[in-house]
Amino acid sequence: MRVALSNAARVWGGAERMTLAVGEGLRVRGHKVTLFCRAGSPLHQRAERSLPCVPILGGMDLSPRTVARSAAALRRFRAEVVVTFAVKDPRWLVPAARWVGVPVVVRHPMDRPLPRTPYHRALYAGVERWVANSEATRATLQRTAGVPRERIVLIRNGFDVERWAAAPPADLGLPPGARAVGFVGRLERRKGLFELALAWPRVAARIPDAYLVIAGVGPDEEAFRAALAAAPRVRWLGFVADPAPVLRALAVLAMPSHFEGFGLAAAEALAVGVPVVATATSSLPEVVAHERTGLLVPPHDPDALAAALIRLLEDEPLRIRLGAAGAAEARARFALDRMLDEFEALLLEVAR
């Protein structure tokens, strides 16, 4: 099977990691894979080591130049199916694929509404199948874009769980006996950064050996740093290429997002045996089971977030129990091979 993947994102995040994982995994399984991406993007820089890349994506919606170049590249590659991974990709790849008669699968990466203007309805009509990475995202696609449920395939994110579980813990430079609460991800408001900033002083006052460890970069980093400027015991790691060792070194992961598409950092924390405090919103309750693999709190509630973090930091047996259950859950539900099996079956069905 000849598969063209696309992802025009300018940043590196969960959707980009899944794009690369699917591309590399399908190639290992004997399929021909090429990646359409944005020139010089973090994904382009990483993917060109293992996948043929076509770095031509960019420009306005329905950019004639991008659509024409994409159609020509699909024809040269003799693509049998196109899979888009970033939100803007369909605005170029759907018309390009229709031009050359190739079916398109759109993976919608985020639990956010899609517009239903005449333009968008016409665009969505050219999509053969949709992939949602959570039930929450699938429901949003049905509700906002009017996509029939039978055209939406649920494929949850997957990763190399065993590699993550075997990663050695990072040296975070903390004093002996310190307990680390971690945040791992893009530093953007929707991740609940400012609720965490409000919760942390209460946690730090109650748990004198607790440290907040923040791994990531993003558009709201400056404001987040300012919000935590007076807070005690905060460590900033910046961008971390491989977060597995950082997660292994944590006592608890905080994920107070306002919405997600899936919640990859939460699943990865479970894989290394770290319990998660997450918000009971969007897809996160599908990843974190309340009182079984972590604790769920209401979104936008710093007091509830602080109370849950304090509870886990003070109760080591609870942390151990939730962590062990989370590791078993990750092995059962989030394996890379399971995700690749499901993508491969879908694409073989759709490919012309």
Side-chain angles (χ1 to χ4, degrees):
M1 182 169 51
R2 304 181 72 85
V3 182
L5 308 182
S6 77
N7 188 319
R10 302 175 186 272
V11 300
W12 180 255
E16 290 64 56
R17 288 180 54 196
M18 291 303 101
T19 306
L20 190 56
V22 170
E24 291 177 341
L26 290 176
R27 197 172 192 207
V28 167
R29 293 179 176 212
H31 302 289
K32 300 294 184 183
V33 179
T34 193
L35 173 64
F36 288 63
C37 59
R38 189 179 295 271
S41 67
L43 176 60
H44 181 206
Q45 294 168 14
R46 288 166 173 80
E48 64 182 350
R49 306 167 195 164
S50 58
L51 294 174
C53 294
V54 185
I56 61 174
L57 298 184
M60 64 182 183
D61 284 14
L62 303 179
S63 163
R65 181 170 183 267
T66 303
V67 171
R69 293 178 73 193
S70 297
L74 290 173
R75 189 179 287 113
R76 285 195 303 272
F77 177 60
R78 292 180 287 119
E80 296 173 275
V81 62
V82 174
V83 188
T84 71
F85 280 78
V87 172
K88 194 168 184 178
D89 293 2
R91 304 168 199 183
W92 304 307
L93 270 300
V94 168
R98 288 171 103 176
W99 190 346
V100 297
V102 179
V104 179
V105 173
V106 171
R107 179 185 181 271
H108 187 57
M110 193 62 63
D111 181 18
R112 300 306 292 157
L114 287 177
R116 296 189 70 175
T117 65
Y119 158 65
H120 288 95
R121 286 199 297 270
L123 191 66
Y124 303 154
V127 178
E128 182 72 21
R129 293 288 182 85
W130 296 76
V131 171
N133 54 14
S134 67
E135 289 285 5
T137 302
R138 177 154 66 178
T140 297
L141 278 173
Q142 288 181 257
R143 186 181 70 254
T144 67
V147 181
R149 185 177 178 85
E150 61 270 16
R151 289 179 57 205
I152 308 172
V153 180
L154 177 63
I155 302 180
R156 300 188 194 279
N157 289 356
F159 55 97
D160 188 345
V161 173
E162 298 305 325
R163 183 187 78 79
W164 282 73
D171 180 0
L172 300 177
L174 306 182
R179 287 170 282 180
V181 173
F183 174 91
V184 177
R186 288 273 297 165
L187 301 185
E188 35 187 36
R189 185 173 294 272
R190 72 169 182 88
K191 293 285 191 177
L193 303 180
F194 298 101
E195 289 85 349
L196 181 56
L198 290 171
W200 180 248
R202 179 178 165 188
V203 177
R206 179 72 172 264
I207 313 290
D209 63 354
Y211 283 74
L212 178 60
V213 176
I214 300 162
V217 295
D220 293 313
E221 179 175 354
E222 184 177 351
F224 190 30
R225 283 180 177 268
L228 282 167
R233 303 189 301 279
V234 179
R235 297 289 185 270
W236 300 85
L237 303 184
F239 174 75
V240 176
D242 181 7
V246 173
L247 287 170
R248 278 291 309 276
L250 301 178
V252 183
L253 178 76
M255 197 165 188
S257 303
H258 303 164
F259 62 87
E260 287 288 343
F262 176 73
L264 185 58
E268 291 167 341
L270 299 185
V272 301
V274 171
V276 180
V277 174
T279 41
T281 188
S282 192
S283 57
L284 290 174
E286 301 175 45
V287 178
V288 179
H290 185 55
E291 298 284 357
R292 189 160 64 83
T293 62
L295 300 177
L296 295 174
V297 299
H300 308 283
D301 191 336
D303 291 339
L305 176 61
L309 292 172
I310 290 169
R311 180 184 171 198
L312 282 181
L313 290 171
E314 290 185 331
D315 191 340
E316 184 177 10
L318 178 61
R319 290 203 311 275
I320 293 171
R321 176 173 66 81
L322 297 182
E329 183 86 350
R331 287 193 298 273
R333 298 182 61 219
F334 305 132
L336 176 61
D337 280 342
R338 185 271 312 154
M339 179 180 74
L340 293 174
D341 288 346
E342 293 170 1
F343 262 107
E344 188 175 37
L346 171 63
L347 300 184
L348 285 168
E349 177 186 339
V350 169
R352 65 174 175 83

